[in-house]
Amino acid sequence: MYKKPVIEKIDTFASKVPSSPYKTQRIKKEIDGVDVYDLVKEFGSPLFVFSERDIENKYLEFKEAFSSRYPDVEFWWSYKTNYLGAICKVFHKLGSKAEVVSEFEYQKARHLGIDGKDIIFNGPYKSKEALEVAVKEGAKIHIDHWDEINDLEEIADKLGVNIPVAIRCNMNTGVYPLWSRFGFNIDNNEAYDAIKRIYEGKKLYLTGLHTHIGTFMLSADAYRVAAKKLTELKNRVEEEFGFNIEYLDLGGGFASKNRLKGVYQPPEVIVPTPDDYAIAITDTIYATNKGNLPKLYLETGRALIDEAGYLLTSVFASKRLPDGKVSYILDAGVNLLYTSFWYNFDIFLSKKYDDISELSILNGPLCMNIDVIADNIYLPPLNRGDVVTIAPVGAYNVTQWMQFIRYRPAVVLIDKNSNPHLIREKEDLEDIIKREIIPEYLK
Ligand SMILES: *Cc1c(COP(=O)(O)O)cnc(C)c1O
């Protein structure tokens, strides 16, 4: 198609930071042996696609890194990272238990057949009703704040039981911004005071210590600091109060191989390996622990699923913007890719194009200026209907996607024999209107 050439004023400032460092075409024709055009033909476009093979490989890599160094390691799947039923089932089949941060997620885990005892209940907002159910079902409750201690003590009185609990701790690990709003601070002794309070109340007893120091942590050393402070606290409260701390939970936060905006080195260079994280944590526990060696719990989310998720999207139209850049309008935008605000995704074409690449922008279908998936990237002229694959998108997008002006698309899981399975249907009008009520006088 002919596009009018333009003369462009050279911008001497670095305003055109490309969202992709690649000037060559990157091509992805299939996912686990299934052609992307076949997927779109069968399930529609846009389409989220998950690879069971990728999930399993990554999970086993992390499991091996930790289990080869530490005797008793358990993984608890972080539901909020991706709580599609089939995805949770894949993790549970691999041996992961469930980590939830809300009553809704708790119910979702129970609905998927997970026993209370196999659920860690985190989060700052646990209603008293939700807490009572979790206590009765034997879930592992990680206390976030002082009011929750009171709530649990009241539940202990009501049910006439002593309740095993863990507390969430926060601390300075040298990585900023500090995540200090969750749990009790170790550095200023608040965590110790909370445990003392639990001890003196005599209605709860401490069986675990938990921390989740942040997300996309590019420093394995931060986990060294966290493991040290948590293990020291364990030593101290075991000695002073006679608690038996069965487990230390180091949370999640391991980085995936995604490219953070504003970070110029590629993820292969800056993201620590599973071994790096495992060595930092397990070496520190060995070196610090007194008394019984605790179990090690991990709530890894993003690092296990991000690279197993792809979004197939189709070119709907193109136009040339006044500055000469080519804008492509795709059928998927920031409505489906919440994480696009942080990441510069990899953009894969579905075939090799012969024409030369031009400075381009990938826009989504929203009527909003911020609907940008990739900017200042070099792309050959794409045609209407061409499929573009965006990755990695497996973490947090299918939980934080918006329904704004469009229906959410279908989601497919490709099993290890390369068979695609529909795991979430695309939405339709009924999904949106079934909760709406038109008052009588407006009918
Ligand atoms: C979100 C969350 C996780 C998972 O975090 P990732 O950064 O995705 O690994 C684990 N634990 C808690 C308490 C969380 O809130």
Side-chain angles (χ1 to χ4, degrees):
M1 194 209 322
Y2 174 77
K3 291 199 176 91
K4 189 164 71 108
V6 292
I7 295 174
E8 198 187 333
K9 183 168 161 248
I10 288 180
D11 196 342
T12 49
F13 293 97
S15 62
K16 286 200 169 167
V17 179
S19 54
S20 167
Y22 302 99
K23 292 210 173 171
T24 52
Q25 296 177 22
R26 308 184 74 209
I27 294 159
K28 190 160 199 52
K29 294 186 178 164
E30 37 86 15
I31 298 169
D32 288 356
V34 190
D35 187 281
V36 292
Y37 284 95
D38 290 345
L39 284 165
V40 161
K41 203 183 294 164
E42 185 171 353
F43 302 102
S45 177
L47 181 70
F48 274 101
V49 179
F50 286 88
S51 155
E52 181 175 19
R53 211 176 285 168
D54 289 353
I55 297 174
E56 185 167 316
N57 289 342
K58 191 61 85 176
Y59 178 84
L60 294 178
E61 194 184 342
F62 268 94
K63 192 177 167 209
E64 176 65 17
F66 281 90
S67 304
S68 62
R69 298 186 164 87
Y70 203 82
D72 208 342
V73 182
E74 280 178 17
F75 283 82
W76 302 71
W77 174 238
S78 157
Y79 265 47
K80 77 172 187 293
T81 309
N82 188 323
Y83 46 60
L84 286 173
I87 299 293
C88 294
K89 283 280 193 191
V90 170
F91 281 103
H92 295 319
K93 211 175 76 184
L94 288 167
S96 242
K97 296 174 175 178
E99 185 269 338
V100 306
V101 290
S102 69
E103 182 174 14
F104 152 67
E105 286 192 344
Y106 186 90
Q107 291 170 353
K108 198 143 196 306
R110 294 285 292 122
H111 178 73
L112 287 172
I114 304 302
D115 283 345
K117 70 171 174 30
D118 294 331
I119 302 176
I120 285 176
F121 196 0
N122 281 320
Y125 189 104
K126 310 180 186 81
S127 74
K128 218 165 154 189
E129 295 72 30
L131 271 179
E132 188 172 327
V133 171
V135 168
K136 286 183 183 155
E137 296 181 345
K140 294 193 158 42
I141 295 161
H142 290 184
I143 302 173
D144 183 78
H145 49 71
W146 295 93
D147 289 314
E148 198 174 326
I149 298 180
N150 292 337
D151 287 347
L152 282 164
E153 288 184 338
E154 283 171 30
I155 292 168
D157 276 342
K158 181 175 164 192
L159 302 180
V161 292
N162 276 331
I163 303 172
V165 295
I167 63 163
R168 176 162 178 175
C169 302
N170 67 71
M171 69 204 83
N172 187 341
T173 60
V175 173
Y176 295 86
L178 298 180
W179 276 28
S180 55
R181 68 156 283 210
F182 302 108
F184 303 90
N185 188 266
I186 288 187
D187 303 318
N188 68 9
N189 256 350
E190 186 192 21
Y192 172 83
D193 290 341
I195 294 168
K196 190 158 182 250
R197 162 82 173 70
I198 286 170
Y199 172 74
E200 284 166 356
K202 293 193 168 30
K203 295 172 190 181
L204 316 177
Y205 59 101
L206 194 74
T207 57
L209 292 172
H210 167 239
T211 188
H212 174 59
I213 57 176
T215 194
F216 212 90
M217 303 298 287
L218 290 170
S219 158
D221 276 340
Y223 289 93
R224 240 176 251 284
V225 179
K228 182 153 193 285
K229 290 185 178 180
L230 216 55
T231 312
E232 283 171 351
L233 184 63
K234 167 191 180 283
N235 294 342
R236 181 175 178 195
V237 301
E238 281 190 334
E239 188 181 310
E240 285 189 32
F241 305 122
F243 286 130
N244 175 28
I245 306 298
E246 295 164 22
Y247 66 91
L248 297 181
D249 181 343
L250 267 292
F254 303 149
S256 60
K257 291 217 174 66
N258 222 322
R259 255 173 316 118
L260 276 184
K261 288 189 171 166
V263 172
Y264 293 100
Q265 285 154 306
E268 291 69 28
V269 174
I270 55 166
V271 173
T273 64
D275 284 324
D276 294 335
Y277 290 122
I279 290 168
I281 290 171
T282 58
D283 277 4
T284 307
I285 297 177
Y286 283 128
T288 316
N289 185 61
K290 297 179 184 151
N292 291 339
L293 198 63
K295 292 183 193 171
L296 173 58
Y297 290 175
L298 297 160
E299 303 167 345
T300 309
R302 152 190 333 274
L304 293 180
I305 189 73
D306 213 11
E307 292 144 72
Y310 305 83
L311 180 62
L312 308 189
T313 172
S314 305
V315 175
F316 179 70
S318 67
K319 56 166 83 163
R320 192 170 293 270
L321 304 181
D323 65 1
K325 204 187 290 181
V326 185
S327 157
Y328 291 101
I329 303 168
L330 305 175
D331 58 12
V334 297
N335 50 327
L336 305 182
L337 293 174
Y338 188 80
T339 61
S340 60
F341 297 114
W342 293 279
Y343 294 140
N344 289 321
F345 303 114
D346 286 333
I347 306 295
F348 295 101
L349 306 177
S350 55
K351 60 173 188 234
K352 171 99 177 74
Y353 293 77
D354 290 329
D355 301 286
I356 57 158
S357 292
E358 283 191 88
L359 202 57
S360 308
I361 179 168
L362 294 179
N363 290 117
L366 306 185
C367 49
M368 296 163 85
N369 213 32
I370 58 159
D371 192 15
V372 177
I373 297 302
D375 199 0
N376 296 316
I377 66 166
Y378 284 89
L379 293 174
L382 307 178
N383 302 307
R384 296 191 85 179
D386 286 359
V387 169
V388 172
T389 298
I390 303 170
V393 299
Y396 294 102
N397 290 305
V398 296
T399 45
Q400 294 185 292
W401 51 1
M402 288 188 285
Q403 180 260 305
F404 183 62
I405 75 167
R406 308 211 6 119
Y407 301 123
R408 278 174 281 220
V411 185
V412 161
L413 175 70
I414 301 181
D415 70 20
K416 288 187 285 172
N417 300 317
S418 296
N419 299 313
H421 302 265
L422 185 63
I423 61 170
R424 193 177 196 273
E425 293 176 334
K426 63 173 153 239
E427 293 176 348
D428 61 20
L429 187 61
E430 189 54 33
D431 292 302
I432 317 300
I433 60 176
K434 74 175 175 209
R435 298 285 176 189
E436 290 189 23
I437 296 158
I438 311 275
E440 214 35 61
Y441 81 100
L442 290 175
K443 280 184 180 158

